Amino acid sequence: MNVKQYTIKVFEIMVDDEAGFLAFVEKNEVLLRRHLLLLKGDVSPEIETFLQKKEIAFTKNIPTTSSKKESQGFTKKSGLEILDKMVRSGQEIATQKDLLALKRINSGATIKTEGNLIALSTVEGAIECNGDFMLLKPSKKSYIKFNGADISQEMEADIFYKIYLKQDEIIISPYKGVISWA
Amino acid sequence: MGIVFAVISGKGGVGKTTTSANLAIGTAMEGKKTVVVDFDIGQRNLDMILGLENRVVYDITHIMDGEANLSQALIKDKKNENLYFLAASQTKDKSVLERDKVKHLIDDLKENFDYIFLDSPAGIEGGFEHTIHYADNVIVVVNPEVSSIRDADRVIGLVDAKSHKAKAGETVGKFLLINRIDPELIEKNEMIATDDILDILSVTLLGKVPEDKRVIDASNTGKPVILHKESEAGKAYRRISKRLCGEDVPFEDVENAPSKGIMGKIKGLFK
Ligand SMILES: Nc1ncnc2c1ncn2[C@@H]1O[C@H](COP(=O)(O)OP(=O)(O)O)[C@@H](O)[C@H]1O
Ligand SMILES: [Mg+2]
């Protein structure tokens, strides 16, 4: 078994509205203190002082290492599997491929993918994804492991997150966009 | 050809036996020739809830062993000529159930009855597997609380994987009965709402049965709650029985206590 150790967990945040951002940090202070914040967008001196006062580590506007080179393409592995049935308690789905899960993943269910994972409905079960990329909406009950690291405590319930690998770091970022297929 | 309903839950003590007894009586009242079979071998209590414990001579294990035939073991209810009962053994353990013999028994029952209810034991082995194996439909009983819902989710998955019909590519009817809905706890937000349960389990709602003290009284007196005219749970079981017989009965709002009336239901109206 090949277990990689990722020590630093990075939170990537786009600062587009300063008041909103400060409120977000205030609310998630405890959580954020355990991370390195990777700030993008407009980072004012006020924000910097604020974060320093809160003892939250951050870096800003690192040029996004030519994202084209990175393997974030969803169907990178040996194909895409679409799961259009809900996964019930006691059921386990394991795949080497990328997986698109359309329905609920219930408490007591397990999903394991070697490829990437997108889960569109509520996740209350256990997820183990060893791909490069994951998009899902955790809940209070879910257990989420990404490339061997338990990241269950790093996310809030009921919002979508993008989680991906960047060199040796796991980047967890709230997904604000609207998910649409058009 | 009769229709087989397995009454299942995963978790114990949620109301399978209560439901089996009341729905068997209810459908018999609707004119269906009905039999209810206790598959909880070694822990029988359906006979008590039906008030028939002193009539049991032969039980399901005697049929399995060839010591009695079906007509000897079937107990006919004195009050309702459409209703029959087949008891579980209180002494022998469930290993006496063999798949071929269970199939043979259920085929026999299907020849002779319109509706066949199989009261399943808790858990996911033995008697449970026998009840889902030849079921045309399953009635999943849940209480509005987390562990019951999760166990129900598990057994629904097993029905899809293990039932004879599902294996043959046919669909097994799956229906949800939410039991012990307590208006007081709903009000205090301490109970999982029906919509959320349906979201999680994604099966058709058959009915909602409120918490009702008379259910417990009934199992002591041997007079099932469906026979109590004033009992809210009894009324709910009567509505569900009608639905099972094809009648389109609207869902009642059992989440709100009837005594409170409309004024009590409008939240925040009187402080
Ligand atoms: N709607 C209800 N209101 C109050 N008590 C109930 C209700 N349904 C079931 N009970 C009680 O719960 C207990 C378990 O019910 P039972 O039908 O034996 O469950 P199971 O067969 O699933 O183990 C019994 O004591 C029964 O009287
Ligand atoms: Mg029982």
Side-chain angles (χ1 to χ4, degrees), chain B residues 16-18 40 43 45 119-121:
Chain B
K16 290 179 297 297
T17 301
T18 305
D40 201 349
Q43 252 180 303
N45 52 27
D119 179 20
S120 182

Side-chain angles (χ1 to χ4, degrees), chain A residues 86 88-89 104 106-107, chain B residues 150 153 156 199-202:
Chain A
M86 71 190 286
R88 296 186 184 273
S89 180
R104 289 183 62 101
N106 275 350
S107 170
Chain B
R150 185 170 164 166
D153 192 38
I156 294 166
D199 231 27
I200 296 171
L201 296 178
S202 178

Side-chain angles (χ1 to χ4, degrees), chain A residues 105-120:
Chain A
I105 298 162
N106 275 350
S107 170
T110 309
I111 302 267
K112 290 180 180 169
T113 68
E114 288 309 315
N116 304 322
L117 171 71
I118 294 183
L120 289 181

